[in-house]
Amino acid sequence: MARLAVANVFWRSAQTKVDGLHIKDTTFFLFREEYKVPVLPPDAAAYLATYQELAFSVMLVIGLASRLSALGLMLMVAVIQIFVYPEGWPDHLLWFALLLLIFARGPGAISLDHLIWSRARSTPAPAR
């Protein structure tokens, strides 16, 4: 449930940034004028944030590389909290807690990660 809940937040956010397969002009405008993330150029930040939200949301839903996805989104939440919307801490704290749970405990039994790792552990080593 944690994977689905937090993936939904970031998937919906990404959907506001894209029009089909293209990033909207308004997304670039927001990154230039409102978000103003330090270090990264605004256009690069727009691409990075949008593709990160899309990819990691899908990966969380199917449970593939879940810990990596959670870590990537935790970093995004930290950037949002510190540099973009510090007043949004109640939501950010909830997102971070769900992502931390996934990162610490793994994706659970209903995931591709679980399927892959359980098969890898049960495969006997080749005879020499």
Side-chain angles (χ1 to χ4, degrees):
M1 294 306 290
R3 288 186 358 242
L4 295 176
V6 77
N8 181 52
V9 169
F10 288 97
W11 177 261
R12 287 184 303 133
S13 174
Q15 293 304 303
T16 67
K17 295 176 175 79
V18 296
D19 183 17
L21 297 176
H22 303 285
I23 297 178
K24 294 178 183 177
D25 290 337
T26 53
T27 301
F28 295 111
F29 176 80
L30 282 171
F31 274 85
R32 271 187 237 110
E33 301 300 323
E34 185 175 338
Y35 300 160
K36 298 181 182 177
V37 178
V39 181
L40 286 174
D43 288 356
Y47 280 110
L48 184 63
T50 303
Y51 292 136
Q52 184 175 346
E53 286 176 331
L54 288 168
F56 289 157
S57 294
V58 170
M59 291 169 69
L60 280 177
V61 167
I62 63 175
L64 181 63
S66 302
R67 285 186 162 116
L68 175 67
S69 300
L71 180 62
L73 291 174
M74 284 169 37
L75 293 172
M76 178 182 269
V77 170
V79 168
I80 294 168
Q81 174 59 40
I82 295 166
F83 299 112
V84 182
Y85 294 123
E87 69 281 355
W89 66 267
D91 290 332
H92 304 157
L93 186 62
L94 177 62
W95 303 343
F96 197 89
L98 290 171
L99 291 164
L100 185 60
L101 174 70
I102 297 163
F103 183 76
R105 303 285 313 254
I110 304 172
S111 67
L112 287 177
D113 286 344
H114 179 75
L115 180 66
I116 291 166
W117 287 105
S118 63
R119 283 192 180 195
R121 277 187 238 124
S122 65
T123 304
R128 293 184 185 210

